[in-house]
Amino acid sequence: MIAPYPVPGTPIRGGVETVTYNLIEGFKACPDVHVLVLVMCHDKDAELKVADNITVRYLHQEGGSRKGELAGHGRKVMESIIDEWHPDIIHIQGNGSNFLLTDRKRRDITVLTQHGIIWNEMKQSKNPRVKANMFIAHMIERLKRGNVGNWVFISRYNQDLNSRKFLNKLTYRQLYNPVNPAYFTTASASRSKEGFKLLFVGRIVPRKGLKALLVGMGQSGLKDRIELNIVGGYEDPAYENEIKGAVAAYGLENNVIFHGWRTSQEIIEMYKDIDALVLPSYQETLPCVIAEAMALGKPVIATKVGGIPEMVDDGETGFLYDADNTTELVEVLQRFGSLSDEEMERMRRKAVEKARDLYEPASVARKHVEFYKEILKS
């Protein structure tokens, strides 16, 4: 498996790294499947034994850009490891520049999990440098995707964005992302006695819609009742100034708490005092943070974009609203704030039930193994 994987003791950053970690946890329940995870573009060479059947190797980046490394030195190192290991399946997590690691001669045994829709994400970025890098990654994907004969789509939304003509050339399966087993512990069912506490987890970038959420909070008339906890980090100083400016403009200094990045265990502890997850994104595929919140029995307030409506049943496991519709966002915040204890408990219970059915890691790992066997048979 070629994928990002966290160094022990450090926060997990980003959705793809989260999915890889959770899937590897699931593979611990599949002892007959031996997994070697190659982590490209790391700051040093290292090896980690995760379980008897799972090893992670971190490969040092010589220098220069990530794309240059994937096309040059990193690819050569990967090729030598593949020649030595002779894997039955090569599974790449993520798309874009990762296609530089693909090879037409291994098309039939290569699997790729498409986590993001780069073209759509590029439209949401305001940073010219970021947009340029995304455009290059998109072009690499367009040129190289014929090197991959087997695809995992993490949502129906992802799958439906591809043409029938393209899908007919593939072996593919729609498999939801797994959730860290630790999230299936029982979070505190206590409810904030005064108002309600929301949690946002993710990169603080324009695509995530945090500024729109702050505007909605400022206009909701609920300022004295809402606390917003933000876990994540900025990537663009200009956008950081926009967010801090919005907090000041709506007088939310006492309502918004920035925590920076946190480890999974720290986030789980935070959830004990949280009433709901909020995700005001303009574009998503299948956000891990929603599945994690549901596994802990937390309702979700989110936009109706990408694969989110597949995850959140409006009025049952949370509330959905149209992106950038401040009026609708305010209505949703007010509806959530008016839930009775019985309604909140019912929402929590349904969220956990759905999460266990779709996102339990050992179950998701076994479904991956079934897909691998299908590929090898064909």
Side-chain angles (χ1 to χ4, degrees):
M1 183 174 293
I2 301 168
Y5 190 87
V7 175
T10 65
I12 298 176
R13 297 177 182 244
V16 181
E17 189 167 289
T18 300
V19 171
T20 305
Y21 179 86
N22 297 343
L23 187 57
I24 292 303
E25 289 297 297
F27 276 125
K28 290 179 180 179
C30 305
D32 294 335
V33 179
H34 295 273
V35 182
L36 174 63
V37 182
L38 299 182
V39 183
M40 310 299 293
C41 303
H42 198 60
D43 57 0
K44 63 180 179 179
D45 289 318
E47 185 168 302
L48 173 68
K49 193 71 174 176
V50 176
D52 289 342
N53 62 320
I54 302 167
T55 301
V56 177
R57 287 184 63 177
Y58 299 92
L59 305 181
H60 172 64
Q61 178 172 333
E62 281 198 330
S65 70
R66 183 176 187 277
K67 294 180 180 66
E69 179 72 8
L70 296 181
H73 172 261
R75 180 186 172 92
K76 290 178 182 178
V77 174
M78 181 205 72
E79 291 278 356
S80 67
I81 294 171
I82 289 175
D83 289 341
E84 175 188 338
W85 221 60
H86 299 295
D88 297 303
I89 293 289
I90 300 169
H91 191 161
I92 300 173
Q93 296 283 345
N95 37 322
S97 299
N98 287 325
F99 276 90
L100 290 168
L101 299 171
T102 63
D103 192 319
R104 189 79 182 182
K105 68 184 180 183
R106 297 192 182 100
R107 181 182 188 276
D108 292 342
I109 65 166
T110 300
V111 179
L112 183 132
T113 298
Q114 183 190 45
H115 286 283
I117 310 300
I118 294 176
W119 186 256
N120 289 350
E121 292 181 15
M122 188 177 73
K123 294 176 183 177
Q124 300 298 330
S125 177
K126 295 182 179 180
N127 187 307
R129 182 181 60 82
V130 172
K131 293 188 78 163
N133 282 330
M134 284 185 172
F135 178 77
I136 293 170
H138 172 70
M139 294 308 297
I140 291 170
E141 181 174 322
R142 296 292 295 180
L143 290 169
K144 297 282 189 178
R145 68 179 186 169
N147 291 352
V148 180
N150 313 282
W151 288 55
V152 172
F153 297 107
I154 62 173
S155 67
R156 292 190 299 273
Y157 164 74
N158 281 55
Q159 182 176 312
D160 292 345
L161 285 176
N162 292 277
S163 68
R164 178 52 54 185
K165 181 179 179 181
F166 175 66
L167 293 175
N168 286 341
K169 298 177 183 178
L170 307 175
T171 302
Y172 62 91
R173 187 76 63 90
Q174 194 259 298
L175 298 172
Y176 289 120
N177 287 331
V179 167
N180 187 327
Y183 281 90
F184 284 97
T185 59
T186 303
S188 171
S190 63
R191 186 177 183 182
S192 303
K193 294 181 179 179
E194 296 181 3
F196 52 97
K197 297 181 180 181
L198 304 178
L199 178 66
F200 168 94
V201 182
R203 293 181 301 142
I204 306 176
V205 295
R207 178 173 66 87
K208 294 292 186 177
L210 188 56
K211 184 177 179 181
L213 174 61
L214 295 172
V215 172
M217 287 174 57
Q219 296 181 3
S220 67
L222 300 170
K223 196 165 65 172
D224 60 335
R225 298 187 59 206
I226 301 178
E227 177 182 293
L228 174 62
N229 293 269
I230 299 174
V231 172
Y234 295 100
E235 296 183 359
D236 182 357
Y239 190 64
E240 180 177 0
N241 290 335
E242 280 191 47
I243 293 299
K244 291 180 178 178
V247 170
Y250 287 96
L252 298 172
E253 291 90 346
N254 295 325
N255 302 83
V256 179
I257 304 171
F258 292 92
H259 297 273
W261 289 108
R262 290 290 184 265
T263 65
S264 292
Q265 193 55 49
E266 288 172 332
I267 293 172
I268 290 170
E269 288 298 314
M270 289 180 67
Y271 265 119
K272 292 181 179 179
D273 295 318
I274 294 296
D275 295 300
L277 173 79
V278 60
L279 192 62
S281 301
Y282 293 108
Q283 194 276 328
E284 291 284 356
T285 48
L286 200 84
C288 288
V289 292
I290 288 181
E292 290 167 350
M294 292 172 62
L296 283 167
K298 298 300 179 180
V300 177
I301 298 171
T303 48
K304 302 173 188 174
V305 300
I308 291 178
E310 297 176 42
M311 308 180 78
V312 181
D313 299 321
D314 193 19
E316 297 292 324
T317 59
F319 294 107
L320 298 175
Y321 66 96
D322 289 324
D324 222 10
N325 187 327
T326 304
T327 301
E328 198 171 344
L329 168 59
V330 169
E331 290 174 355
V332 163
L333 292 174
Q334 292 171 341
R335 285 175 64 193
F336 182 77
S338 65
L339 289 176
S340 66
D341 290 343
E342 292 76 16
E343 290 170 325
M344 180 73 88
E345 179 56 32
R346 184 167 61 251
M347 223 173 235
R348 288 189 182 118
R349 187 174 62 252
K350 289 185 176 182
V352 172
E353 290 171 357
K354 186 167 185 177
R356 287 195 178 279
D357 185 46
L358 297 179
Y359 312 125
E360 198 279 321
S363 174
V364 174
R366 283 190 287 268
K367 290 174 183 176
H368 276 77
V369 173
E370 291 171 5
F371 184 44
Y372 299 155
K373 290 179 178 178
E374 177 187 331
I375 292 166
L376 294 172
K377 284 181 180 179
S378 63

